[in-house]
Amino acid sequence: MPQIQLANRFIGDNHPAFIIAEIGINHQGDVEIAKKLISKAKECGADAVKFQKRNLERILTKQGMEMPYENSNSFGKTYGEHKKVLELSNKDYHTIFQYCLEKDIIFCASGWDEDSIDFLDQLGVKFFKMASADLTNLPLIKHTAKLGKPIILSTGMADLEMVITAYETVKKINEKVAIMQCTSTYPTDFIELNLNVLSSFKEKFPKAVIGYSGHELGIAITSAAVALGAKIIERHFTLDRTMKGGDHAASLEPQGFAKLVRDIHAVEAAMGSSEKQVQESELPVFRKLSKSLVTLKPIKSGESITADMLTTKGPGTGISPAKMDIVIGKVANRDLLEDEVINEEDIQWKN
């Protein structure tokens, strides 16, 4: 069975789901908000928090930086101005990395360019998350894979062939890979989530750990993803869904995230064993509600038992009705009264 290690946690079929609170850019470019989000994520039961690290001049052309960007979620007149407001400094990242250590929650981030990946590596991240936007950015994927740390690939905006290409690119260099089913709309319509892709990924990539990165509203769908085998879960996280910014509306607030963590662990516990068997807790219920073979009339000791002497009634403390055909023709070991539960010792099993 596939397994990878993310920081101090082993992830795979025999382990609990690894739950990431995706802070992304919901910190509004403010390190104090980032610290509040980290603290709340820890309280909610998240295993890790994730940020996004970019060198804007490295990922955008001058034209892209100067593109007009004026809307209700904009923090600047151009796209470059907008993105700069939402970036944390390298010093800020050192601060929040240390804060995560103090809070005993794992820090991770998606690096959107080679410089950012190298910075995160030197910062001390234990694994890398590749954004859906970079699934086809094979030069960046190769650069990251060569660092030898586990890689989580998000697969929004991609078809299967794109996923295969990215996965094989990593595998040639680094075998520690996880693949996340993802749909990159914010929020995502339920009909476009396609949770059945999780099963397809498990079949197509048997050596990879499979996860789910969700941007839908609510928490029910993510719990269903866990039931289908997702072992890494990522959901956007915010202090307030009404805050200014494009990701807040598709994020979970602390109360919702805590409920999601609760439900994920409940689903994992409920999945249980694949072997159908009577549970210990069911035994008293079985004795009370199930049926036994019961006499319809008195039966004398040594008398051969016939069908017209038997019926089925509760409690289920005696011989099971499933053995009626076996009991018919056997001899009673003792006198049995009418309407009496028949027990194993009341029958001569060898005539």
Side-chain angles (χ1 to χ4, degrees):
M1 290 181 286
Q3 176 178 280
I4 59 172
Q5 184 174 354
L6 302 181
N8 60 353
R9 282 280 308 277
F10 285 98
I11 314 300
D13 287 346
N14 293 326
H15 304 282
F18 186 76
I19 304 172
I20 302 172
E22 161 70 281
I23 292 172
I25 55 174
N26 284 348
H27 49 69
Q28 313 293 78
D30 186 329
V31 72
E32 292 305 316
I33 294 177
K35 290 166 74 173
K36 287 179 183 178
L37 284 160
I38 292 166
S39 181
K40 285 293 183 182
K42 175 64 178 181
E43 290 176 16
C44 291
D47 297 299
V49 289
K50 189 176 86 67
F51 290 81
Q52 298 173 8
K53 180 73 172 73
R54 302 171 178 84
N55 180 332
L56 292 177
E57 286 73 19
R58 176 64 183 81
I59 67 170
L60 288 169
T61 64
K62 182 179 179 181
Q63 182 181 10
M65 291 282 286
E66 295 176 352
M67 180 178 64
Y69 194 74
E70 296 188 71
N71 55 61
S72 59
N73 287 318
S74 175
F75 288 87
K77 292 183 179 181
T78 67
Y79 190 62
E81 290 174 355
H82 165 76
K83 296 301 289 184
K84 283 180 179 179
V85 171
L86 298 175
E87 288 300 312
L88 296 170
S89 68
N90 287 357
K91 181 180 178 181
D92 290 337
Y93 273 102
H94 282 282
T95 298
I96 60 177
F97 185 86
Q98 184 61 39
Y99 190 72
C100 286
L101 292 176
E102 294 170 7
K103 289 293 181 179
D104 191 27
I105 190 169
I106 296 167
F107 171 93
C108 64
S110 53
W112 288 54
D113 57 85
E114 287 82 356
D115 293 343
S116 296
I117 290 291
D118 291 343
F119 172 81
L120 293 170
D121 185 43
Q122 293 163 13
L123 186 64
V125 296
K126 302 300 183 182
F127 60 93
F128 293 104
K129 168 74 190 302
M130 306 306 295
S132 292
D134 283 315
L135 190 70
T136 57
N137 189 351
L138 299 186
L140 179 62
I141 288 176
K142 290 177 183 177
H143 179 88
T144 308
K146 289 175 182 178
L147 295 173
K149 296 178 179 179
I151 298 179
I152 303 173
L153 299 173
S154 250
T155 63
M157 303 176 288
D159 60 25
L160 181 59
E161 289 305 313
M162 295 176 187
V163 179
I164 291 172
T165 299
Y167 175 74
E168 291 181 347
T169 298
V170 175
K171 286 285 287 182
K172 290 176 182 177
I173 307 167
N174 181 343
E175 294 192 348
K176 295 171 284 189
V177 190
I179 302 175
M180 308 280 277
Q181 164 59 356
C182 178
T183 304
S184 296
T185 48
Y186 304 81
T188 309
D189 288 338
F190 293 152
I191 199 171
E192 294 187 329
L193 293 171
N194 296 318
L195 292 187
N196 282 325
V197 170
L198 292 166
S199 299
S200 299
F201 278 176
K202 291 179 77 173
E203 181 179 346
K204 188 67 182 179
F205 309 106
K207 294 184 178 181
V209 171
I210 304 303
Y212 175 70
S213 178
H215 303 117
E216 74 278 3
L217 298 178
I219 61 176
I221 303 301
T222 302
S223 298
V226 173
L228 289 170
K231 301 308 298 185
I232 304 173
I233 292 295
E234 179 185 73
R235 288 294 304 270
H236 280 261
F237 184 60
T238 183
L239 298 175
D240 183 351
R241 294 180 64 247
T242 66
M243 291 176 74
K244 181 179 177 179
D247 288 352
H248 293 286
S251 301
L252 294 174
E253 294 174 341
Q255 183 179 12
F257 202 95
K259 289 179 178 178
L260 175 64
V261 173
R262 175 202 66 191
D263 288 355
I264 286 173
H265 293 320
V267 167
E268 289 180 318
M271 295 303 289
S273 171
S274 59
E275 181 181 351
K276 179 59 178 173
Q277 55 188 341
V278 178
Q279 303 300 304
E280 285 292 327
S281 62
E282 293 180 302
L283 293 177
V285 183
F286 181 87
R287 288 190 287 269
K288 181 174 68 172
L289 298 181
S290 64
K291 303 298 190 294
S292 300
L293 289 181
V294 173
T295 57
L296 268 176
K297 59 182 71 173
I299 304 174
K300 296 289 186 181
S301 177
E303 187 175 2
S304 182
I305 299 172
T306 58
D308 62 346
M309 297 176 177
L310 303 177
T311 188
T312 60
K313 290 185 179 182
T317 53
I319 297 174
S320 168
K323 294 183 177 181
M324 180 178 281
D325 289 344
I326 300 173
V327 169
I328 292 172
K330 301 297 182 186
V331 174
N333 261 340
R334 66 176 179 88
D335 289 343
L336 296 168
L337 302 175
E338 181 182 342
D339 200 38
E340 184 175 353
V341 170
I342 304 173
N343 295 301
E344 295 279 338
E345 61 269 22
D346 298 331
I347 302 296
Q348 291 183 22
W349 293 102
K350 294 182 179 181
N351 293 342

